C-alpha cells in the first residue's frame, strides 16, 4: 500500500492490503498492555501538573513574589506554545517511524528522557528566562511521549473497547495529577525536590509499557519518500471535508479552556481569597477530591458508553457538569465551596475524558495518519494552556477578580456542551 497524505480512510481492514501497523484493530488489548498505557499517563501528567499546580508557582514566589501571577502565566503559556507544535509534529513523525521496536515506543522513551532531564535542570533555575527555557523542554519531551502513547490507542484498541480504555487512561491522567499534588504537599515548599520527584515518576512510569508495547513495526517499503511541503500541508485537516473532526476539536478546546481557567490559579485562590493556612496542602485536598470523582466516573462512564454504543449524550452531560463547577467556585468563594467545586469538576471531567476520547478516535480521517491526527486533536488540550493563563490574568487583575474568572470558565464550558450536537457521524 502506498502511504501518502491521501490514504484510505480509517477503518480499512487488513484484508484490503493494509499493513498490520495500520489495520483497524479487532482483537481486545490485554490487561498488561492497558496497565502500561495507564502508567505512562500517570508519569506524564505528574510531570505536567505537579509543576503547573504547585512548583512553578512556588518557584515564581521565590524569584519575585509580587509578580508571581505574571511569571506563572508566562512560563506555562510558553511551554504550552511549544506543545502546540510538538504534539502533532511528534505524532506525525511517529507515523513515519520504521524502527524494529515499532512506531510509538521509541518516541515514548526519547520524550520521557528529555523531559526528565529538563525537570532536573529546571529545579536549579534562579531566573525567569531559565524557567521558561527548561519548562519548554519539559513540554517538548513530554508531548513527544504523549503524542505516541495517545496514537497507540486507535492503533491497538478496537472501537468496542475504547470507552473502557479511555476511562482507564483518564484514571491514569488523574493519578498523575494527584501524584503531582502529593509531591507538592510532602516537600513542604521545597520545589527543587518536587521537580526531582516528578522527573523520577516520569522516567519510571514508561518502563512497563516499553517492555510490552505491542507496537507492530512499519516497513520502509510502505512509506512514500519524505516531501517537506506535503508533510507540512498534512497538518491541515479541512473542516469542510471533515466537519465531525472539526467540531470534535472545537468542543475539546472549549471544555479544556473552561477546565484550565478553573484550576490555573488554584494555589493563589486558596492563598489570597480563601486565606487557607497551607495553600499547597489545600491544593492536595482539592486535587484528591477531584481525583476520586474523576476515577469513579471515568471507569463507569467509559464502559457504559461502550455498552450502549453512544458517545454524544455522555459528552454533553459531562461538559455541562464541568461548567457547573466554575459557577460554584464563582458564587461560593469559601473553603466548603472549593470542596464542592472540586467534586463537581471531577464528576464531569472523569466522564468527559473517558467518553470524549473514544468519540475522538472515531472521527479520525485516516488510519495511516493516526499519530498526526491525534496530535492535532491534542492541540485542543495544549492550546488552552496558552489561552487560559492569559484570560485568567486579565480576569483576575483587570476584569473583576476570581468571580469573573470562574464565571468565564462556566460559560466557555457550556459552549463546549452545545457544539457537541454538531457531530453527525457518532451517536
Amino acid at each position: 500500500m502506498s502511504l501518502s497524505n491521501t490514504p484510505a480512510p480509517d477503518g480499512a481492514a487488513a484484508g484490503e492490503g493494509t499493513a498490520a501497523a495500520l489495520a483497524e484493530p479487532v482483537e481486545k488489548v490485554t490487561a498488561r498492555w492497558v496497565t502500561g498505557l495507564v502508567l505512562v499517563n500517570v508519569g506524564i501528567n505528574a510531570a505536567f501538573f505537579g509543576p503547573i499546580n504547585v512548583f512553578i508557582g512556588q518557584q515564581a514566589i521565590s524569584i519575585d513574589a509580587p509578580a508571581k501571577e505574571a511569571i506563572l502565566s508566562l512560563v506555562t503559556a510558553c511551554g504550552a506554545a511549544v506543545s502546540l507544535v510538538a504534539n502533532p509534529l511528534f505524532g506525525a513523525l511517529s507515523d513515519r517511524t520504521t524502527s524494529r521496536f515499532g512506531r510509538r515506543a521509541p518516541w515514548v522513551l526519547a520524550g520521557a528522557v528529555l523531559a526528565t532531564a529538563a525537570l532536573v535542570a529546571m529545579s536549579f533555575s534562579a531566573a525567569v528566562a531559565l524557567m521558561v527555557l527548561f519548562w519548554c523542554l519539559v513540554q517538548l519531551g513530554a508531548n513527544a511521549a504523549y503524542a505516541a502513547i495517545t496514537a497507540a490507542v486507535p492503533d491497538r484498541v478496537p472501537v468496542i473497547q475504547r470507552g473502557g480504555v479511555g476511562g482507564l487512561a483518564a484514571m491514569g491522567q488523574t493519578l498523575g495529577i494527584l501524584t503531582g499534588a502529593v509531591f507538592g504537599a510532602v516537600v513542604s515548599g521545597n520545589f527543587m525536590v518536587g521537580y526531582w520527584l516528578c522527573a523520577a515518576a516520569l522516567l519510571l512510569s514508561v518502563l512497563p509499557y516499553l517492555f510490552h508495547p505491542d507496537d507492530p513495526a512499519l516497513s520502509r517499503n510502505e512509506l512514500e519518500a519524505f516531501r517537506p511541503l506535503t508533510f507540512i500541508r498534512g497538518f491541515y485537516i479541512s473542516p469542510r471535508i471533515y466537519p465531525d473532526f472539526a467540531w470534535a476539536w472545537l468542543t475539546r478546546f472549549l471544555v479544556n479552556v473552561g477546565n484550565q481557567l478553573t484550576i490555573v490559579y488554584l494555589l493563589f485562590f486558596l492563598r489570597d481569597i480563601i486565606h487557607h493556612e497551607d495553600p499547597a496542602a489545600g491544593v492536595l485536598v482539592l486535587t484528591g477530591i477531584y481525583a476520586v470523582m474523576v476515577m469513579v466516573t471515568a471507569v463507569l462512564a467509559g464502559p457504559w458508553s461502550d455498552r450502549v454504543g453512544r458517545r454524544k449524550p455522555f459528552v454533553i452531560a459531562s461538559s455541562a457538569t464541568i461548567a457547573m463547577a466554575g459557577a460554584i467556585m464563582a458564587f461560593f468563594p469559601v473553603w466548603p465551596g472549593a470542596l464542592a467545586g472540586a467534586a463537581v469538576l471531577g464528576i464531569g471531567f472523569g466522564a468527559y475524558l473517558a467518553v470524549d476520547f473514544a468519540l475522538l478516535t472515531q472521527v479520525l480521517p485516516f488510519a495511516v495518519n493516526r499519530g498526526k491526527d491525534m496530535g492535532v486533536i491534542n492541540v485542543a488540550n495544549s492550546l488552552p494552556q496558552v489561552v487560559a493563563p492569559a484570560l485568567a490574568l486579565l480576569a483576575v487583575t483587570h476584569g473583576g477578580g476570581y468571580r469573573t474568572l470562574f464565571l468565564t470558565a462556566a460559560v466557555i464550558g457550556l459552549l463546549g456542551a452545545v457544539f457537541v450536537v454538531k457531530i453527525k457521524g457518532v451517536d
Side-chain angles (χ1 to χ4, degrees), residues 163-252:
V165 171
L168 292 171
M171 182 185 71
Q173 294 171 22
T174 307
L175 285 173
I177 296 171
L178 180 59
T179 299
V182 170
F183 291 163
V186 300
V187 301
S188 301
N190 189 336
F191 58 82
M192 178 180 287
V193 175
Y195 284 127
W196 294 348
L197 290 173
C198 289
L202 174 58
L203 193 59
L204 292 174
S205 73
V206 304
L207 297 179
Y209 176 80
L210 293 174
F211 286 129
H212 303 285
D214 190 18
D215 191 2
L218 185 67
S219 171
R220 290 180 183 272
N221 296 330
E222 300 188 53
L223 288 175
E224 285 190 347
F226 179 77
R227 298 180 178 87
L229 290 180
T230 302
F231 181 77
I232 293 170
R233 284 197 298 265
F235 290 101
Y236 175 72
I237 300 172
S238 171
R240 180 179 61 83
I241 300 174
Y242 305 106
D244 281 356
F245 184 91
W247 285 116
W249 190 97
L250 179 62
T251 58
R252 184 80 163 186

Side-chain angles (χ1 to χ4, degrees), residues 6 12-13 24 30 35 37 42 78 168 205 225 260-261 277 279 292 306 341:
T6 56
E24 179 68 10
T30 65
T35 300
L37 175 83
V42 171
C78 288
L168 292 171
S205 73
Q260 284 292 318
L261 286 173
E277 60 184 11
V292 170
D306 286 339

Side-chain angles (χ1 to χ4, degrees), residues 86-152:
N87 209 294
L89 174 61
F90 286 114
L93 291 174
S94 72
D95 285 336
R96 295 186 59 87
T97 297
T98 56
S99 163
R100 66 187 180 89
F101 299 105
R103 294 187 295 165
R104 315 303 181 188
W107 295 100
V108 172
L109 176 59
V113 170
L114 174 60
T116 297
L119 282 166
V120 173
M122 192 167 178
S123 71
F124 295 102
S125 301
V128 174
L130 290 176
M131 289 178 65
V132 170
L133 171 63
F134 291 122
W135 183 243
C136 286
L137 290 176
V138 171
Q139 288 279 359
L140 189 70
N143 273 280
Y146 188 63
I149 200 67
T150 301

Side-chain angles (χ1 to χ4, degrees), residues 39 45 47 63 73 82 97 103-104 127 174 191 199 201 214 224 231 254 280 283 325 336 343 352 359 364 394 396 427:
L39 289 175
N45 282 275
I63 292 174
S73 293
V82 170
T97 297
R103 294 187 295 165
R104 315 303 181 188
T174 307
F191 58 82
D214 190 18
E224 285 190 347
F231 181 77
L254 291 172
V283 170
Y352 180 84
L359 183 152
L364 300 180
L394 288 174
V396 171
D427 291 334

